[in-house]
Amino acid sequence: MRHPSSLLLGLGLIAAAAPVLGQTAPSPALAPASAQAKPPVATSEGYLKAGQDELKRLQADKPNNRKARNIILFIGDGMGISTLTAGRIFEGQQQGVDGESFVAQMDRLPHTALVKTYSHDAQVADSAPTATALVAGVKTKNGVIGVGPEAIENDCSATAPFKVPSLFEMAEDKGYATGVVTTATITHATPAATYAHVAQRNWEVDSLMPDAAKAAGCTDIARQMVEWPHGNGLDVMLGGGRAHFLPAATVDPEYPAFKGLRADGKDLAAVWQAANPKGAYVWNSDRFNAVDVQKSSKLLGLFEPSHMQYEADRTAAGEKEPSLADMTRKAIAMLSKNRKGYVLMVEAGRIDHAHHAGNARRALQDTVALNAALKAAMESVDLSDTLIVVTSDHSHTFTMSGYPERGNPILGVVAAPIGTPTLAKDGKAYTTLGYANGPGAVSAAERADPSKEDTEALNYRQQSLVGLSSETHGGEDVVARAAGPKAHLFKGTIEQNTIFHILRAALGL
């Protein structure tokens, strides 16, 4: 059964870039391309002055070696360096300014490190081991969550002895508030690493588990979240994946044609509500906006049966679910009630899904949404006692190339001068953005001419080299950026699992 976000449940990927419920949403209009936007510095003197100003800013930065009261870890799933660059240009061009020199919110964080993303058993990792590295401090195997490299994928009994505690479990046990926000399912690999220990990342709900695993006593990820035995449980949980918490006989409250996915008959949303009578359970924007932060002890929001909508589709559909910035702002308000402090993960999970579909437009728009969430956080906290880290779990085969002129639309064809397409050997134009593999693969004989297509359309799929049903992750380093206490420790090139140790040291755990 196909679910509202075109999810391939077995792989956690999307089959296509179609909006929720397979409807063709109107393509949100792009702002006029910034091909005519002039760079803010256009002379040698201007560049020299800009460089001196940036040097002064760097020299003025002083390390904050205080203990952190709060930690917010932002993860752009699949947000490699090429995505950061293209996203910056896209965001600037959307605002009608020079995209190349635009300063995105992530660019404002003062400390940076390159991060190695390989897993214990693979040069190119999936999100399960990378998330485990980020929040539990060990590299592990592709496919498993919250367990060490000694674990055996799909084997519960062989995996159980090798559970590794996450920073969230440690913090909750010490009295901190904890929260997880994502645009993917709340049971997806990255958010699940904060609370789950499982031999197979795809066991998000019991109906996706083999009978042998259930007979061996394995627990699906959704149940692990609701039954989490640390402290008083997660204080904030916001994301998609509502079907993973509802029985197969229960009709979804938003989509009458869809039902829950639980085979055990448990209504985990009701179980959670019974255990948290002062907590708020919400499933749409109206209920979310109505939550009284001061009167609600906890907050559970499940906004789609599967993944939440892409930002472009969310806004086109009338914003029936909150944005990543909305959820971040509300999560901080909820968690800030704890006087000791809090640990919060915020994941832009659908950057990854758009890349898998070979759809750069949605990937970049969700990257802009992550910048908006970061801005909301930075406006809500005091960086003297809050460590903010923005990173990615892995990259993609996403490329940016071709010598386009400054100001050329980032989603357009390569043009120099602007408006005059640069032609490939087959006499056809090609786009600045592309993929090494994926569903957009073409052969020389059949390759369409992008100059005759709307390459900025929401559903446009960039061309790729090797044909695959789903584009793959990339294995190169990603970037970590930070501000606040201990942020200066993000420098040079570091192992991904070292990030956990920096976060733990910042909290003094």
Side-chain angles (χ1 to χ4, degrees), residues 249-491:
T250 299
V251 175
D252 185 84
E254 188 174 9
Y255 304 106
F258 294 90
K259 295 182 179 180
L261 287 176
R262 296 206 64 81
D264 59 8
K266 293 181 182 293
D267 185 334
L268 295 184
V271 170
W272 183 87
Q273 285 182 292
N276 299 278
K278 294 184 179 179
Y281 167 56
V282 298
W283 51 267
N284 62 21
S285 281
D286 289 342
R287 294 183 177 221
F288 174 82
N289 293 333
V291 170
D292 188 324
V293 169
Q294 296 306 316
K295 293 181 179 179
S296 301
S297 60
K298 292 185 178 183
L299 177 58
L300 171 63
L302 300 172
F303 300 105
E304 286 285 336
S306 183
H307 301 303
M308 292 181 69
Q309 296 185 40
Y310 291 104
E311 178 65 9
D313 302 316
R314 184 190 73 83
T315 53
E319 302 188 20
K320 295 179 181 179
E321 58 193 47
S323 68
L324 189 61
D326 294 333
M327 294 190 292
T328 299
R329 203 176 287 110
K330 184 85 78 174
I332 291 173
M334 286 287 299
L335 299 176
S336 295
K337 295 185 296 181
N338 186 308
R339 293 183 179 181
K340 187 163 189 177
Y342 61 82
V343 180
L344 170 65
M345 174 192 282
V346 178
E347 185 204 22
R350 306 225 63 193
I351 297 171
D352 176 74
H353 296 168
H355 278 322
H356 279 303
N359 181 211
R361 164 78 187 275
R362 281 185 173 88
L364 299 188
Q365 202 142 341
D366 273 40
T367 302
V368 174
L370 178 58
N371 269 314
L374 174 61
K375 184 175 186 292
M378 295 182 73
E379 290 172 348
S380 302
V381 304
D382 183 349
L383 287 177
S384 69
D385 67 2
T386 301
L387 172 61
I388 289 181
V389 178
V390 183
T391 189
S392 178
D393 47 357
H394 55 74
S395 183
H396 275 269
T397 71
F398 185 55
T399 62
M400 176 180 168
S401 60
Y403 308 113
E405 280 202 337
R406 178 88 170 261
N408 198 65
I410 191 63
L411 289 170
V413 298
V414 174
I418 293 172
T420 305
T422 299
L423 304 183
K425 291 179 69 175
D426 62 3
K428 300 173 183 176
Y430 57 97
T431 54
T432 302
L433 304 178
Y435 295 89
N437 61 44
V442 295
S443 69
E446 66 181 14
R447 192 174 79 88
D449 188 340
S451 68
K452 303 183 186 310
E453 301 177 310
D454 183 1
T455 60
E456 298 187 47
L458 183 59
N459 290 326
Y460 182 77
R461 182 170 272 157
Q462 274 69 26
Q463 294 177 354
S464 66
L465 176 62
V466 177
L468 295 173
S469 60
S470 176
E471 181 266 357
T472 71
H473 295 172
E476 71 271 22
D477 297 352
V478 296
V479 173
R481 291 161 162 166
K486 300 293 192 295
H488 60 283
L489 298 179
F490 286 89
K491 56 187 175 183

Side-chain angles (χ1 to χ4, degrees), residues 12-258:
L13 310 178
I14 56 170
V20 167
L21 296 178
Q23 297 171 350
T24 303
S27 176
L30 286 168
S34 66
Q36 291 76 35
K38 295 182 179 179
V41 286
T43 65
S44 296
E45 182 178 350
Y47 281 112
L48 289 170
K49 183 181 184 304
Q52 287 294 320
D53 289 343
E54 188 156 49
L55 174 61
K56 290 177 182 178
R57 177 180 63 80
L58 295 172
Q59 291 173 329
D61 182 67
K62 303 298 180 185
N64 177 353
N65 210 29
R66 295 177 54 183
K67 177 178 176 293
R69 178 176 179 269
N70 314 306
I71 287 180
I72 306 176
L73 174 62
F74 285 89
I75 298 176
D77 197 314
M79 187 180 67
I81 293 175
S82 55
T83 304
L84 288 171
T85 304
R88 174 195 302 128
I89 296 172
F90 176 78
E91 186 171 0
Q93 291 184 346
Q94 285 289 89
Q95 296 184 23
V97 300
D98 176 55
E100 290 81 5
S101 64
F102 178 74
V103 181
Q105 194 66 35
M106 283 180 266
D107 297 331
R108 300 178 188 278
L109 301 182
H111 300 281
T112 302
L114 286 175
V115 182
K116 300 178 184 179
T117 62
Y118 66 92
S119 67
H120 175 75
D121 62 346
Q123 289 179 342
V124 180
D126 73 39
S127 296
T130 52
T132 300
L134 287 166
V135 303
V138 301
K139 285 184 178 284
T140 192
K141 297 175 181 176
N142 279 6
V144 302
I145 299 172
V147 293
E150 302 89 349
I152 298 176
E153 190 177 8
N154 298 312
D155 189 328
C156 292
S157 59
T159 296
F162 303 111
K163 295 179 181 179
V164 288
S166 75
L167 180 72
F168 289 72
E169 293 169 339
M170 296 176 182
E172 188 69 39
D173 287 340
K174 292 291 186 181
Y176 288 85
T178 54
V180 182
V181 172
T182 181
T183 52
T185 58
I186 196 73
T187 49
H188 213 236
T190 303
T194 65
Y195 60 82
H197 307 273
V198 64
Q200 174 49 251
R201 59 168 289 177
N202 295 325
W203 294 348
E204 297 185 53
V205 61
D206 66 329
S207 60
L208 293 180
M209 297 173 65
D211 291 339
K214 288 187 276 190
C218 300
T219 305
D220 64 273
I221 295 172
R223 262 190 68 190
Q224 289 192 45
M225 188 184 88
V226 172
E227 298 174 358
W228 201 49
H230 296 274
N232 65 344
L234 290 160
D235 298 278
V236 174
M237 296 149 283
L238 300 172
R242 191 165 59 232
H244 299 163
F245 296 81
L246 302 179
T250 299
V251 175
D252 185 84
E254 188 174 9
Y255 304 106
F258 294 90

